[in-house]
Amino acid sequence: MYAVFFGEVYNIRSERAVYFGESLLGGKIMSKNIEDFIVSIPDFPEEGIIFRDITSVIQSVEGFKLAVDELIRLIDGEDFDVVAGIEARGFVFAAPVAYKLGKSLALVRKKGKLPRETVSAEYDLEYGTSAVEMHTDSVKPGQRVVIIDDLIATGGTAEAAVNLIERLGGEVAKAVFLIELAGLEGRGRLAGCEVASVVKYEGK
């Protein structure tokens, strides 16, 4: 992507948004980062937790487009067949990525939500366990799959998604997330799987 300022052509394509230049009106033209659209809410849902809200990203035309484009950038050059979105906010980002790249979309849903034959995998919660499922025909043997979710925290749900894909005969090409809470070390549960995130917060 290029822009013209005072007769000069500037390449304004970058991995992250940066200063573009001067406008003809003399004002600086700035591009935003995804962080500019994420609202951080302290002490939610409990004291000591900082909640990273992505609804503020998707309610902005610019923010939503930037989020989808950044996720696509993370899988640029990957050889894969299927995008797998994790319920529920992962669907929001997985669907437009699959559409733009011309890939099929597989859903990783909470137990009991899919109507046909499924495979199921449990994962640990702070208190107890939960489970996710996929249709048995959503990934075919030998297909390469990119997992997309809005956030990786402890990594339990993503680990369960990897388990399901592999049981169906698929191979996880990469797992990508809009936000990573690095302090919870979730990517450590995806050993052997390439992991990438658009925004990384060092805390919890």
Side-chain angles (χ1 to χ4, degrees):
M1 182 177 181
Y2 295 85
V4 179
F5 301 106
F6 302 105
E8 297 292 331
V9 179
Y10 295 84
N11 186 341
I12 58 175
R13 182 179 179 86
S14 63
E15 288 193 352
R16 303 305 294 272
V18 295
Y19 166 63
F20 284 175
E22 299 286 337
S23 74
L24 294 178
L25 298 178
K28 289 182 179 179
I29 299 176
M30 304 295 290
S31 179
K32 293 183 178 181
N33 294 323
I34 283 294
E35 294 96 318
D36 297 323
F37 295 96
I38 298 171
V39 175
S40 297
I41 304 168
D43 299 322
F44 183 85
E46 58 185 59
E47 188 173 354
I49 300 295
I50 300 177
F51 186 84
R52 311 294 183 178
D53 185 17
I54 60 97
T55 62
S56 51
V57 176
I58 61 177
Q59 72 189 28
S60 161
V61 173
E62 183 184 358
F64 192 22
K65 183 179 186 305
L66 182 59
V68 172
D69 288 347
E70 286 288 275
L71 289 166
I72 289 174
R73 180 182 63 81
L74 292 180
I75 55 178
D76 183 46
E78 290 289 339
D79 176 24
F80 70 99
D81 310 288
V82 181
V83 173
I86 298 178
E87 188 170 355
R89 292 184 297 269
F91 297 169
V92 173
F93 300 105
V97 170
Y99 173 77
K100 289 191 74 170
L101 297 182
K103 307 297 182 181
S104 65
L105 177 65
L107 303 183
V108 181
R109 297 216 62 184
K110 294 176 182 177
K111 189 172 184 178
K113 298 291 186 178
L114 293 172
R116 294 184 284 105
E117 184 181 359
T118 62
V119 287
S120 178
E122 288 191 347
Y123 61 97
D124 294 329
L125 299 172
E126 186 176 359
Y127 302 103
T129 61
S130 189
V132 289
E133 296 180 329
M134 296 180 71
H135 276 140
T136 55
D137 61 355
S138 59
V139 174
K140 298 176 176 58
Q143 287 188 317
R144 289 173 56 81
V145 183
V146 166
I147 295 172
I148 293 182
D149 203 358
D150 71 313
L151 177 137
I152 180 168
T154 62
T157 313
E159 182 182 35
V162 172
N163 178 291
L164 292 176
I165 291 164
E166 291 179 344
R167 284 167 56 192
L168 291 174
E171 177 185 354
V172 177
K174 198 169 188 177
V176 297
F177 306 89
L178 185 66
I179 299 172
E180 179 177 358
L181 304 182
L184 294 174
E185 301 179 343
R187 66 168 58 212
R189 299 182 68 166
L190 304 181
C193 176
E194 187 177 357
V195 178
S197 56
V198 176
V199 180
K200 183 184 291 186
Y201 293 102
E202 295 303 323
K204 301 180 180 180

